[in-house]
Amino acid sequence: MSVRKPFIAGNWKMNLTVAEAIDLIRALRSRRSEDKDVDVLVAPPFTSLLAVRQEAAGARIFLGAQNMHWELKGAFTGEISARMLKDVGCTHVILGHSERRNLFGEKDDAIDLKVKSAVLLGLIPIVCVGERLEEREAGNTFEVVRKQLEGSLRNFLADQKIPATTILAYEPVWAIGTGKTATPEQAQEVHRFIREWLAERFDKPTADEVRILYGGSVTPSNIKDIMKGPDVDGALVGGASLKAETFLPIIDFAAP
Ligand code: PGA
């Protein structure tokens, strides 16, 4: 049986002002069940990170960023570094989200550099992979996911080790923000593939420890089924993480 603790992450994307972010954290703090053994993270926009850290102090909520640059400082207008994220209190950073890949042209090489920089600074990367609809329909899901893993985790592969704290997220692009969730079987089959890849390219004990999240239209009504997959360790939640009414039941359903 898996000993991996469930992990529920809310990716707020480009939503919420500072005041709205504080309200949401207050609601999560006051209404969250005490007895659930589940790790919870929120990834607000950069502008709310500090306020969320202050509001969430002592509330068992990890703080993540949604992206970063791989350099630690310098002339990179508009960018934010791992050093700055650490400074503001982040513990995690989402890297290689499909919106970064598909809307902003991020390639595996860049994601690999970001993963390396994040780990160097002591941030836990949440590395996202997932196929597009046409790739799934062409029967290329595993191949696409394998290529993204190999490209985005090249640095770990070169070292022949991956920190067991690393979090991977399988997010089929066709399920993100579309209301079309992967079936629990579709999610589990890709999660198993990822875990087998980890065991093959690193080692089995680490593969057994790394948490793999599912993302793509997760809601309070489908989280329970999605979590049934033995290799599904949690969820990366977009839309439903923006309201306490929908995020709290997801957190509660994720843990028995
Ligand atoms: P969604 O987004 O839950 O709104 O589909 C998930 C994600 O992009 O992480």
Side-chain angles (χ1 to χ4, degrees), residues 10 19 21 27 37-38 65 67 80 87 89 96 105 126 128 147-148 182 187 198 215 252:
D37 198 20
V38 51
N67 182 31
I80 299 267
D87 182 48
I126 302 175
C128 306
K147 261 184 83 183
Q148 289 175 338
L198 286 168
D252 283 352

Side-chain angles (χ1 to χ4, degrees), residues 10-13 15-22 25 41-57 61-69 79-94 123 126:
N11 174 11
W12 294 357
K13 307 192 180 184
N15 293 294
L16 307 186
T17 61
V18 172
E20 288 164 347
I22 290 174
I25 295 296
L41 171 139
V42 293
F46 296 132
T47 47
S48 299
L49 284 173
L50 186 59
V52 167
R53 191 197 71 185
Q54 287 162 348
E55 198 58 43
I61 297 176
F62 290 111
L63 184 65
Q66 300 172 18
N67 182 31
M68 55 170 246
H69 194 274
E79 294 292 337
I80 299 267
S81 75
R83 203 162 154 245
M84 294 163 173
L85 297 182
K86 270 302 271 192
D87 182 48
V88 86
C90 287
T91 48
H92 296 68
V93 58
I94 299 172
L123 290 168
I126 302 175

Side-chain angles (χ1 to χ4, degrees), residues 9-11 13 94 97-99 128 171 175-180 214-219 236-241:
N11 174 11
K13 307 192 180 184
I94 299 172
H97 188 278
S98 68
E99 284 149 19
C128 306
E171 299 206 304
I176 296 180
T178 57
K180 267 192 228 163
Y214 168 80
S217 299
V218 171
T219 64
L236 183 49
V237 185
S241 72

Side-chain angles (χ1 to χ4, degrees), residues 1 4-6 35-38 224 227 251-256:
M1 267 313 278
R4 295 178 296 270
K5 188 169 173 183
D35 56 335
K36 301 284 178 182
D37 198 20
V38 51
K224 220 173 182 165
M227 291 290 295
I251 296 170
D252 283 352
F253 285 149

Side-chain angles (χ1 to χ4, degrees), residues 101-152:
R101 291 176 184 269
N102 298 323
L103 302 175
F104 301 100
E106 258 186 42
K107 300 277 182 285
D108 289 334
D109 286 358
I111 298 159
D112 179 48
L113 290 171
K114 293 179 183 201
V115 171
K116 184 177 176 188
S117 174
V119 171
L120 190 75
L121 269 281
L123 290 168
I124 297 174
I126 302 175
V127 184
C128 306
V129 296
E131 81 288 1
R132 296 191 235 201
L133 183 60
E134 60 272 25
E135 293 165 333
R136 172 164 282 269
E137 284 172 346
N140 292 335
T141 298
F142 294 133
E143 189 50 27
V144 168
V145 168
R146 191 188 59 75
K147 261 184 83 183
Q148 289 175 338
L149 290 170
E150 308 242 327
S152 312

